Every structure is written in C-alpha cells, then in structure tokens.
Amino acid sequence: MNTDLTQPTQQAGHALVTGANKGLGFETARRLGELGYTVFLGSRDEQRGKEAAAALADSGSDIVVVPLDVASDESVAEALRIVGERTDRLDVLVNNAGAPGHMVHPGQATPEELHGVYDVNVYGPVRVTNAFLPLLEAADNPRVVMVSSGIGSFTVTAGDEYRLPLHEFAYSSSKAALNMITVRYAQAYPGIKFNAITPGEVANGKFAATDMNQHRGQLTAAEGSDPIVERATLGADGPTGTFIDRLGPVGW
C-alpha cells in the first residue's frame, strides 16, 4: 500500500467527526469547517456538542450537532438518520472518539476493563464506519481517518527506546487492534481511503495535550490534528492503508 505523504487538498463536502466537542475532535471540526466542509459534530453529550458548535459559529462554519455515543448501536443509527436527512453522501469520516481506560498492570487487568475501552476504541469505529458505508460509497472521493496512537504501534512499543512507566494495557492494545482494522478496511474497500494517524511526533516522543492525558502533551490539540486534517483532505490520488503522525509515516 502507498505510504507516501501528500499535501492536503482543500475541497468542499460533508464530514462527520466523532468525539468532536473538545480536544482533537474539536480542532478537526474547526479546521474542516474553515476549509468549507459541512461538519457533523458528533458528541456523546448533546449539550457539550451545542456549546462546541456555538464556539465555532463565529468562524462562519456550517456545523450540525449530532448526538453520538459510538458505544451504542441505537445512538449510531440515530446519528445516521440525522446525517442522512441532510446529505446523501459523506465525504469524510473521522473516527476520533476514544476512551483511555485506567493505568492497570497487565496482571491486574480484567476482561471488564478491556471491554469498556474496546467498546469505544475498537467496536465504536466499526459501528460508525459500517453504519455510514452507504453514504461514504456514494461520495466521489471518500476518506476515513482512524485516530490511533503511537503506543498502538508494535514498532514503537516493542522498541528498545520505549520506556513509558505506566500501564495502559487496555488502551495500547485497543489502538493496535484499530490499526489492524484500518488495514483490513482499506483492503476490503479500495474505493474508500482508510488511514490511521497518531496525533503526535513519534520520533521526538511528543504527543498532543488533551483531557485524556491530563494535558501533559508537548503539542497543542491543533498541532495534534495536523495528520487528521491531512488525511481527511486527501485528493483522489492519495494513499490508503497508511499510519502517520504529523512528521510522516509511522511503523506498524
């Protein structure tokens, strides 16, 4: 599969961003709105979604709040209904919503702990992607971006330089699963560009500051959204089945 980076291409269309009421999702919604997209702002909490949309109103972006809990089949079905009432195609899907889980030593991890994280980080993107496949396939150049993590990379976590002194057992394994899912979708749907990103700089050990990591990151959420927007705005000749950060390709 092609792993070359390409320059973002501005193009109007419709985009759905999950978990978009704050952090990376909010910055992605803001930037896509500024590029002329109608943005469906997915938010598990509808009120927080409305507040986020209000914060974007001054930029003149076309924002539609979509109550969306990616861990709920019923919520995803309702989100599809809302989006489907406004457009017959979806150009961009950003599966951004995520759950961090707890810092649990592998020896103390339980199936329940893993299930709660996987329900959002793995099953969530599958629920949303599969529900919106008909709208994606109706678009001329559909793109799906999976927001993964550098610690979901075997290359990174098995490397000699990886020394994170915390146990994110559920989170890291869920993102590794998401990476594989991305590749398999890309292979199954050659007409849709499926790409995974990590919102950081793996080579420099930097990651974006968000609520999920108590804002300990060295990059802003806007900087972290760089690879999301880059892959969300690919032209028709852009790559599929890749994993990148804001500096370039990342090893699986």
Side-chain angles (χ1 to χ4, degrees):
M1 291 183 179
N2 190 350
T3 56
D4 294 332
L5 288 175
T6 59
Q7 292 298 316
T9 301
Q10 291 191 19
Q11 46 193 297
H14 294 81
L16 169 63
V17 184
T18 69
N21 59 283
K22 62 180 180 179
L24 294 168
F26 178 85
E27 288 298 327
T28 300
R30 177 185 65 79
R31 295 175 66 177
L32 291 179
E34 290 176 352
L35 288 173
Y37 287 85
T38 294
V39 178
F40 295 100
L41 189 152
S43 177
R44 185 175 60 175
D45 185 303
E46 184 174 4
Q47 182 56 39
R48 291 181 179 179
K50 290 179 179 179
E51 292 170 358
L56 296 173
D58 291 342
S59 66
S61 298
D62 185 9
I63 306 293
V64 179
V65 177
V66 178
L68 177 54
D69 178 357
V70 302
S72 165
D73 291 336
E74 293 76 14
S75 180
V76 172
E78 178 62 12
L80 176 61
R81 185 192 66 78
I82 293 171
V83 174
E85 286 183 345
R86 291 165 173 79
T87 179
D88 60 357
R89 65 192 60 198
L90 187 66
D91 302 278
V92 178
L93 169 61
V94 179
N95 283 305
N96 168 72
H102 304 97
M103 296 302 172
V104 180
H105 187 282
Q108 280 74 56
T110 64
E112 289 75 19
E113 160 70 11
L114 268 67
H115 178 73
V117 176
Y118 275 57
D119 206 16
V120 176
N121 295 356
V122 182
Y123 313 145
V126 171
R127 284 189 188 94
V128 175
T129 299
N130 287 356
F132 282 88
L133 274 173
L135 293 185
L136 286 164
E137 292 182 305
D140 293 331
N141 175 34
R143 288 88 68 198
V144 177
V145 182
M146 304 290 199
V147 179
S148 185
S149 171
I151 62 172
S153 162
F154 285 91
T155 301
V156 172
T157 57
D160 293 336
E161 297 180 359
Y162 183 75
R163 291 291 183 271
L164 187 66
L166 296 172
H167 296 286
E168 21 41 42
F169 190 61
Y171 183 76
S172 58
S173 62
S174 74
K175 292 302 186 179
L178 181 62
N179 286 352
M180 177 58 76
I181 285 170
T182 303
V183 173
R184 298 306 261 169
Y185 269 125
Q187 294 169 337
Y189 292 93
I192 303 175
K193 295 176 179 63
F194 284 89
N195 292 290
I197 70 91
T198 176
E201 297 177 357
V202 170
N204 298 326
K206 294 182 178 181
F207 52 96
T210 65
D211 286 355
M212 190 175 291
N213 57 48
Q214 293 77 52
H215 295 272
R216 292 175 300 168
Q218 305 90 341
L219 303 174
T220 66
E223 291 172 327
S225 71
D226 284 347
I228 304 176
V229 175
E230 194 276 336
R231 284 311 194 227
T233 57
L234 286 172
D237 59 347
T240 187
T242 69
F243 185 28
I244 68 166
D245 65 8
R246 68 194 301 264
L247 301 179
V250 176
W252 295 104

